[in-house]
Amino acid sequence: MIVIIDYNVGNLKSVIGAFARIGVETVVSRDHDVIRQAEGIVLPGVGTFPVAMENLRKYDLIDILKERKAAGIPILGICLGMQILFEKGYEVKETAGLGFIPGTVKYMDIEEKVPHMGWNQLHFAKDHPVLKYIHENDDVYFVHSYMAYCPEEQLIAYTDYGETKVTALVGNGHVIGCQFHPEKSGSVGQKILLAFKEMITC
C-alpha cells in the first residue's frame, strides 16, 4: 500500500491519477495507523516551505514520518514535498525541514527567468533504481522558484536551465525527491513512479 500524505498542500488528485495510470492504488491519509501500514509514502506539495512544515506540525505528522523513515519505508517527495525533505529552507523565512536529505533549499537567484517553468531534459548524475525505465535527456515538467543545493552523492539527476545546473532528482537511501512533477510529465513521469513502486516491492 502506498500512502499519499494529506497535509493540505498537495496536488492530490493528479498524484492519485498518475499512480492509477500505472495500476497502483493509493490511499490518501494523515492517520498514523494508516501511515504505519504503508509500504511506501508519497509527500506531494504545492505552496511554500514554511506553510508545508507548519502543516506537518499541525497535523502531528513529523514524528510519524521520521519513524517510518527510520523503519526503512521508501519515501518519495514531489516538488515542495521534495524540498521539505532537506535540512533547511529559505523561502519567506529560514525554516527547518525534515532533514531526511542533507542540503538546503534557496531562491533561484539566477540570470534565467524565474520561476523555472516548463519541460526540460534530465541528465543522469549516477545510476539509481528510480531511473530504471527512463533515458538520458528525457523531458519532465518543472514549476518552481526555489531549488535544492545538496552534496554530489545525493544527486541522482539534474537539468540545465540556461547556465544553471538545477537539482532535479535526489536520493538518500530509500528517500527520493523529484523537483519536477512526475504526475504531469507524461509517460516519463509514469515510468519514474513505476520504478519507485518497484523499489517498494523488491
Side-chain angles (χ1 to χ4, degrees):
M1 179 178 65
I2 292 178
V3 173
I4 301 172
I5 301 296
D6 180 8
Y7 62 119
N8 209 30
V9 295
N11 190 11
L12 298 177
K13 288 185 178 179
S14 294
V15 178
I16 294 165
F19 276 105
R21 286 191 290 275
I22 60 171
V24 176
E25 291 188 15
T26 54
V27 174
V28 176
S29 183
R30 62 176 69 121
D31 182 273
H32 286 203
D33 291 336
V34 174
I35 295 169
R36 283 197 176 95
Q37 295 176 46
E39 297 169 293
I41 291 171
V42 177
L43 266 174
V46 176
T48 66
F49 197 113
V51 169
M53 290 306 300
E54 178 57 34
N55 283 6
L56 288 181
R57 280 190 289 273
K58 180 169 70 174
Y59 297 124
D60 192 25
L61 290 167
I62 293 176
D63 286 345
I64 187 68
L65 288 171
K66 290 182 176 181
E67 174 192 303
R68 296 293 84 203
K69 189 258 186 185
I73 301 302
I75 298 171
L76 172 65
I78 296 173
C79 198
L80 178 61
M82 177 202 100
Q83 294 179 355
I84 61 173
L85 296 174
F86 285 89
E87 295 169 302
K88 194 173 292 185
Y90 291 89
E91 184 175 6
V92 183
K93 62 181 180 179
E94 182 178 329
T95 306
L98 289 169
F100 293 175
I101 300 176
T104 58
V105 176
K106 299 179 181 179
Y107 181 70
M108 298 175 72
D109 189 10
I110 59 177
E111 293 185 4
E112 291 78 23
K113 183 179 178 180
V114 177
H116 171 214
M117 182 167 59
W119 295 86
N120 221 333
Q121 294 180 329
L122 287 178
H123 306 299
F124 299 167
K126 64 178 180 180
D127 291 332
H128 193 279
V130 80
L131 303 175
K132 179 178 180 180
Y133 296 116
I134 67 171
H135 304 285
E136 182 84 19
N137 298 326
D138 276 348
D139 288 307
V140 291
Y141 189 78
F142 292 85
V143 184
H144 64 114
S145 300
Y146 288 75
M147 64 174 276
Y149 296 83
C150 65
E152 286 294 321
E153 54 264 37
Q154 268 69 59
L155 184 66
I156 297 172
Y158 62 94
T159 193
D160 290 320
Y161 183 44
E163 298 298 315
T164 302
K165 180 179 177 180
V166 176
T167 302
L169 250 174
V170 293
N172 188 26
H174 51 279
V175 179
I176 306 295
C178 298
Q179 179 60 76
F180 54 91
H181 286 272
E183 77 279 11
K184 297 180 180 179
S185 297
S187 62
V188 174
Q190 290 176 31
K191 290 172 183 176
I192 289 169
L193 295 180
L194 178 61
F196 174 71
K197 182 255 185 186
E198 290 184 358
M199 288 175 60
I200 295 168
T201 56
C202 70

